[in-house]
Amino acid sequence: MQIFRTKIITVGIVLGALFIAGVALGWNDPTATPPQGAGALKAGTNGGGLKNRQNLGINLLAGQEPSSTTTVRGNFAVGKSFAFVNQSGNPDGAIIEGSLGLGTTTPRSPLTIQGGVKLGGTSLRFSPSHRVPGGNVSTEIEANATTHMALTIGSDGLPIVTYLTGGNLWFARCTRLDCTAWNKHAIEASVGQTAITIGGNGFPVLAHVVASNGALRVLQCSDLDCINFTGTAADASVSANQISLAIATDGCPSVAYRKSVNSAFRTYFATTYGSGGCATWSSNPVDNTVNSGRYLSLSSGSDGFPIMSYYTQNQGLWVARCGSMDCGNSVSQTQVNAEGPATDLGQFSSLALGKDGYPIISYYAGGSGGLRIVHCTSRDCTSFDTFSDVEEARDLGRFSSLSIGADGLPGISYFNGNSITPMVRFAKCAKPDCSLLYTAGSEERYAWPRDVAGTVASQPFTSLAIGSDGLPVIAYRSSGGGFSVLKCGSIMCIPYWTRK
């Protein structure tokens, strides 16, 4: 009985001391003013403690106030096991047991990030909270007839497609890396072609031709789903087509396009300026040659100046490089591959900057040829390597789309019209300039091509991008006239392929 009385007295003394010190045990009224106290609960050795106002400070020095909701001086641990780990070698760090989610409430790995990431001012595009199984995955996004589509990867690492159907420009954003789930909505009335890229602010930028007057219109989205956007006319009443978009070094969009001048199409370029809030456009001719500018593909060069590939009727493949940001002067034009007797040579060009910063271009070789690649050895492509014939059969290589993989090696999607059933084909180069040969069985090639999607439309309009996980993503028109997205299960777009 004496021991029992002693315990009661001891508990009473402790509770009284805590009350005097100002600690509220079990305080659960968020509308009331927290209890006052100089050092509510000593958590450090130098007078610091748990601050009982709006911010929480742990292990602070005397006189220090927490500057954020929770301020920890020293290290901390989270987890039932990690909480008891000796961190003497980690005095100002943190250890976390289990999963950490940034931008997501359902982390499925030690670190799951959903959303954009910047490292040293450079945006990194990945979203490891989504994974693709070992095989290729093809999903039809739109069942209605489509006339054109363009694909890119959003700043959150997820594929985005803009396309035309029913006389309207549509926008589809995948909510998974494999595009098995998506959101889509109509943007506005449109005709002709469309293009898409990601602006300097991380949001999509679209270009298309206005149905009512043929004007070239550029839409700068203010959210990832492009629910809200600002539209401006880059060039009014021009009957524009063959559109290609890029982002200049100031983060503003620029666009290459064909423009009808004196009843003939010519090559033009328009850009905006960061000083004008990416809203004021200037337009200049790039190539006034009649019937130039077909199958345009635009990029910002390694020096920041625009560079584009295109086809000129009866002349072949050309490359134009601007000597200024607005292409107002010093435009160099190079005939890379003359058409000659091989009609259609140079069509369906697709340009990207290689690992060395020089342009690399895929295009249709025309005549009895197939898919060809040329690697430039100068910024303006006035010098270039020997052409690499990836495919040498007719009707292999139309609608080509080239992109550089995370490994620095080019990949190309294109149309296989040689098979009984039209196919989408994919080829992966073995070297950055596509000069080294892959060996497929006993056959050596510059790239290893294979059919990756069957039963496609006779004009599939393939569009290729490299996903945030390093795997190819291909948008194409399916046989019913709608469009699908193929997510490859390996960098070669071969199910369960691994590099030895």
Side-chain angles (χ1 to χ4, degrees):
M1 181 67 68
Q2 181 64 33
I3 295 175
F4 181 70
R5 289 197 188 99
T6 301
K7 289 183 177 179
I8 293 177
I9 293 171
T10 302
V11 171
I13 293 173
V14 171
L15 291 176
L18 290 174
F19 179 79
I20 293 172
V23 175
L25 299 179
W27 175 72
N28 58 7
D29 184 0
T31 63
T33 301
Q36 305 299 305
L41 178 62
K42 293 298 175 90
T45 58
N46 293 316
L50 293 174
K51 302 297 181 179
N52 55 12
R53 286 286 185 177
Q54 295 178 351
N55 295 338
L56 171 65
I58 300 176
N59 199 34
L60 304 184
L61 298 175
Q64 291 182 332
E65 293 291 332
S67 57
S68 56
T69 304
T70 302
T71 300
V72 179
R73 178 179 169 271
N75 55 33
F76 71 92
V78 177
K80 61 182 180 181
S81 299
F82 281 18
F84 304 100
V85 173
N86 187 335
Q87 291 197 68
S88 58
N90 185 33
D92 291 299
I95 56 175
I96 298 176
E97 183 178 15
S99 300
L100 173 63
L102 301 180
T104 177
T105 58
T106 57
R108 296 183 176 88
S109 59
L111 175 62
T112 300
I113 301 176
Q114 177 63 51
V117 176
K118 280 193 173 182
L119 181 63
T122 301
S123 295
L124 304 180
R125 298 178 178 179
F126 66 101
S127 180
S129 61
H130 301 293
R131 299 196 59 161
V132 174
N136 298 343
V137 179
S138 183
T139 305
E140 186 176 61
I141 306 295
E142 179 62 68
N144 295 318
T146 57
T147 55
H148 195 271
M149 86 281 301
L151 168 76
T152 192
I153 304 298
S155 57
D156 60 353
L158 299 175
I160 298 173
V161 186
T162 179
Y163 61 99
L164 276 67
T165 183
N168 289 302
L169 176 69
W170 280 68
F171 181 94
R173 175 176 170 266
C174 300
T175 55
R176 292 186 59 85
L177 276 181
D178 59 7
C179 253
T180 53
W182 64 88
N183 298 318
K184 64 180 181 180
H185 62 97
I187 298 287
E188 58 187 23
S190 180
V191 296
Q193 292 186 333
T194 182
I196 188 170
T197 189
I198 302 300
N201 59 1
F203 296 136
V205 178
L206 289 64
H208 73 107
V209 180
V210 179
S212 60
N213 60 7
L216 175 62
R217 183 166 161 85
V218 176
L219 312 178
Q220 300 181 59
C221 305
S222 52
D223 55 81
L224 290 175
D225 285 296
C226 206
I227 302 298
N228 304 291
F229 58 85
T230 300
T232 53
D235 202 336
S237 302
V238 298
S239 299
N241 61 17
Q242 307 289 328
I243 305 166
S244 185
L245 268 172
I247 299 300
T249 53
D250 62 359
C252 293
S254 55
V255 56
Y257 57 101
R258 291 181 82 211
K259 177 177 179 177
S260 179
V261 179
N262 298 326
S263 302
F265 282 105
R266 307 164 199 270
T267 311
Y268 268 69
F269 175 86
T271 190
T272 52
Y273 300 95
S275 59
C278 298
T280 302
W281 288 87
S282 68
S283 176
N284 289 298
V286 173
D287 191 337
N288 270 316
T289 305
V290 173
N291 292 327
S292 66
R294 295 184 65 189
Y295 307 106
L296 272 163
S297 185
L298 171 70
S299 180
S300 289
S302 56
D303 56 1
F305 294 149
I307 186 167
M308 65 199 79
S309 63
Y310 56 94
Y311 168 76
T312 298
Q313 187 173 341
N314 300 323
Q315 293 190 22
L317 178 69
W318 285 76
V319 169
R321 176 183 172 271
C322 301
S324 60
M325 295 296 294
D326 62 356
C327 288
N329 52 46
S330 303
V331 178
S332 66
Q333 301 164 1
T334 303
Q335 187 180 35
V336 176
N337 204 169
E339 188 170 48
T343 57
D344 302 335
L345 187 149
Q347 293 186 358
F348 304 101
S349 77
S350 181
L351 180 148
L353 293 187
K355 189 176 181 179
D356 55 5
Y358 296 143
I360 185 166
I361 309 164
S362 66
Y363 59 100
Y364 184 57
S368 59
L371 179 66
R372 181 171 290 178
I373 290 180
V374 60
H375 169 254
C376 303
T377 54
S378 61
R379 287 177 175 175
D380 55 6
C381 212
T382 52
S383 60
F384 42 84
D385 293 326
T386 304
F387 306 116
S388 301
D389 287 314
V390 178
E391 300 270 23
E392 297 182 14
R394 186 173 176 82
D395 281 340
L396 278 171
R398 299 181 192 269
F399 304 100
S400 78
S401 180
L402 182 144
S403 189
I404 307 299
D407 54 6
L409 303 178
I412 315 101
S413 65
Y414 54 100
F415 177 54
N416 176 7
N418 257 351
S419 61
I420 297 175
T421 302
M423 299 277 191
V424 169
R425 207 159 169 85
F426 177 81
K428 177 75 172 178
C429 293
K431 199 173 180 181
D433 60 1
C434 228
S435 61
L436 182 65
L437 303 180
Y438 266 121
T439 300
S442 60
E443 184 179 10
E444 292 187 337
R445 290 182 175 274
Y446 291 101
W448 191 356
R450 71 182 302 270
D451 295 323
V452 294
T455 318
V456 302
S458 58
Q459 293 185 330
F461 293 110
T462 76
S463 185
L464 169 69
I466 304 300
S468 55
D469 55 2
L471 303 181
V473 185
I474 305 170
Y476 62 94
R477 289 181 69 224
S478 47
S479 59
F483 89 89
S484 299
V485 171
L486 172 73
K487 176 64 179 183
C488 296
S490 71
I491 61 172
M492 299 286 287
C493 212
I494 300 173
Y496 307 105
W497 180 88
T498 57
R499 186 186 299 275
K500 294 183 178 180

